[in-house]
Amino acid sequence: MPSLTVALTGAAGYIASHVAVALFERGHSVVGFDNFSNSSPKSLERVAQIADTHMPFEQLDLADTDGIEAFLRAHQVDAVIHFAGLKAVGESTEQPLRYHENNVGGSLSLLRAMENAGVRHLVFSSSATVYHPDEASPLREDASLGPINPYGATKLMVEQIIGDVATYSDLRAINLRYFNPVGAHPSGLIGEDPVGTPNNLMPFIMQVAVGRREQLNIFGDDYDTPDGTPIRDYIHVMDLAEGHVAAVEALHPTTGPGVDNVEAINLGTGVGSSVKEVLAAAEQAVDHPIPHQVVERRAGDGTVSYADPGRAEALLGWRATRTMADACVDHWRWQERNPHGFAPDPATDE
Ligand code: NAD
Ligand code: UD1
């Protein structure tokens, strides 16, 4: 595989930082930009520490089409992985216009900049949230689509826009539909650092474990599952990262296994875990009980969602290899060493 130059939008974010490490490990060059609306420059320093190399970086917003075009030209970029976006489901119902402006408007701006700069390979961070909630798991890519909130709608719209551009121009693109990313790089130097109260299960559990929050609220235990709690497909972020490397390489005209102009591909493990199973695995990893209580269901939560990961294996030669136990141990190492994420400790200011 020749060494590619890959540009990451949203480069300082949770998933992009892990993908940067995985790309460097495979011998690719990585450049990136971010507006730091949901991330810290510290994560870039930590990536440099892990990879022992520095990622050329600019503070840029997706809306800055000319700035992005100049950036892509300056670095002679071969492919873009597009992570930048707002991702909080609840917030998207309070600020739908902001979500559409940033996620859909921003993606249009990026596509224009890529076309102007002649960059014709794109991997997009989509989500399993694009599937219709009534579809049965395991979810295949041809299941019906039908997101139920503005965040999910922006993901589906961007997939459709990319689909049209790729069908009628020389763009080649892969829309990666992530299931539930968890875990951290095994170094404990980078990981998920949510702003404010975490919406997602694993970061919430780990913040309780480290003493930042009192207890986990389990949103309902009266679902139709063996232990009454909902089932999801939690995927280790390093497995997810390696899936991105496989996708970028598959787009390469001569050496990839060969994908169509535009593909949608699930990145999941194919294994479902309940909330109570995740909690038990986390307690094992942190080696102490994690306080919790059962409360009312959360609106919008489905019962069971997990991937059929067969297409990723067939088209990308990729499948997840890490376990829930690995994810909990790695997530805990990150959380324990960085109890306040990338922010300084408020007690010591360090
Ligand atoms: P993140 O918030 O950590 O990373 C996104 C990055 O994009 C942040 O660094 C943010 O500052 C940046 N950004 C946002 N808007 C921007 C703009 N207009 N210009 C430049 N930079 C901008 O989130 P993440 O968890 O790493 O997610 C990355 C992508 O994957 C997102 O598109 C998200 O919707 C998608 N995704 C995430 C999950 C998940 O559970 N984490 C699941 C499915 C899909
Ligand atoms: C959520 C989003 C989804 C997004 C995904 C990854 C909703 C309805 N869906 O998925 O669009 O792509 O995050 O960012 O918000 N849980 C608790 N207590 C908590 C937190 C969660 O019991 O404090 C439970 C939830 O009820 C759910 C499971 O844990 O059953 C996983 O929740 P979460 O991590 O938020 O992921 P999803 O709901 O699958």
Side-chain angles (χ1 to χ4, degrees):
M1 184 71 208
S3 168
L4 303 171
T5 299
V6 183
L8 312 184
T9 80
Y14 169 44
I15 299 170
S17 56
H18 291 81
V19 170
V21 169
L23 285 165
F24 279 130
E25 262 170 23
R26 280 279 291 180
H28 297 301
S29 297
V30 190
V31 301
F33 69 85
D34 200 301
N35 66 0
F36 296 127
S37 58
N38 196 40
S39 53
S40 158
K42 261 249 153 68
S43 90
L44 301 169
E45 292 168 24
R46 299 280 183 87
V47 167
Q49 199 179 330
I50 298 167
D52 199 21
T53 180
H54 157 85
M55 177 202 310
F57 176 85
E58 256 184 63
Q59 185 165 349
L60 270 176
D61 193 282
L62 279 177
D64 182 357
T65 315
D66 293 344
I68 298 171
E69 180 185 337
F71 180 82
L72 298 175
R73 285 186 192 279
H75 296 289
Q76 297 186 305
V77 165
D78 296 301
V80 171
I81 310 183
H82 178 29
F83 299 98
L86 301 172
K87 62 165 186 175
V89 172
E91 189 182 64
S92 80
T93 64
E94 290 152 19
Q95 305 175 28
L97 183 55
R98 179 168 164 245
Y99 269 68
H100 282 273
E101 273 172 351
N102 193 79
N103 293 5
V104 182
S107 299
L108 287 170
S109 169
L110 173 70
L111 285 163
R112 166 55 59 214
M114 287 176 62
E115 185 163 295
N116 291 352
V119 179
R120 307 316 290 144
H121 292 167
L122 174 66
V123 174
F124 171 58
S125 297
S126 189
S127 168
T129 201
V130 298
Y131 291 115
H132 193 285
D134 293 342
E135 282 290 311
S137 291
L139 289 158
R140 280 166 42 123
E141 289 81 354
D142 56 5
S144 337
L145 305 176
I148 55 164
N149 53 61
Y151 163 70
T154 69
K155 289 291 167 194
L156 182 53
M157 283 181 202
V158 174
E159 279 202 18
Q160 288 167 336
I161 293 165
I162 289 170
D164 279 346
V165 178
T167 302
Y168 299 107
S169 78
D170 58 353
L171 181 73
R172 299 180 74 229
I174 297 179
N175 295 313
L176 292 178
R177 295 179 179 159
Y178 312 159
F179 281 70
N180 294 56
V182 290
H185 189 267
S187 64
L189 287 168
I190 54 173
E192 188 171 10
D193 181 19
V195 176
T197 309
N199 299 308
N200 298 120
L201 179 63
M202 185 67 89
F204 202 106
I205 288 178
M206 291 300 173
Q207 289 196 7
V208 175
V210 84
R212 271 177 72 177
R213 302 190 185 273
E214 231 165 79
Q215 62 181 338
L216 169 72
N217 288 323
I218 295 179
F219 297 141
D221 66 353
D222 56 352
Y223 285 88
D224 185 16
T225 62
D227 67 17
T229 61
I231 289 175
R232 296 288 182 274
D233 187 337
Y234 298 91
I235 174 168
H236 194 298
V237 67
M238 290 311 300
D239 277 329
L240 194 74
E242 288 161 8
H244 287 73
V245 176
V248 161
E249 292 182 356
L251 286 171
H252 198 266
T254 51
T255 48
V259 293
D260 276 346
N261 261 22
V262 59
E263 301 277 4
I265 300 178
N266 288 334
L267 290 186
T269 65
V271 176
S273 305
S274 72
V275 174
K276 285 186 179 166
E277 286 170 339
V278 176
L279 180 62
E283 287 182 327
Q284 191 87 34
V286 310
D287 204 21
H288 61 75
I290 296 173
H292 57 274
Q293 62 175 353
V294 177
V295 299
E296 288 295 292
R297 289 183 178 200
R298 181 174 69 178
D301 277 346
T303 303
V304 177
S305 166
Y306 62 93
D308 177 335
R311 198 166 161 77
E313 177 135 34
L315 293 182
L316 306 180
W318 168 93
R319 67 185 167 84
T321 59
R322 295 161 179 88
T323 63
M324 172 61 73
D326 298 332
C328 289
V329 165
D330 290 337
H331 207 122
W332 177 237
R333 188 180 299 107
W334 151 252
Q335 187 71 77
E336 197 181 21
R337 293 186 187 175
N338 307 270
H340 299 278
F342 293 114
D345 184 333
T348 61
D349 211 23
E350 276 173 9

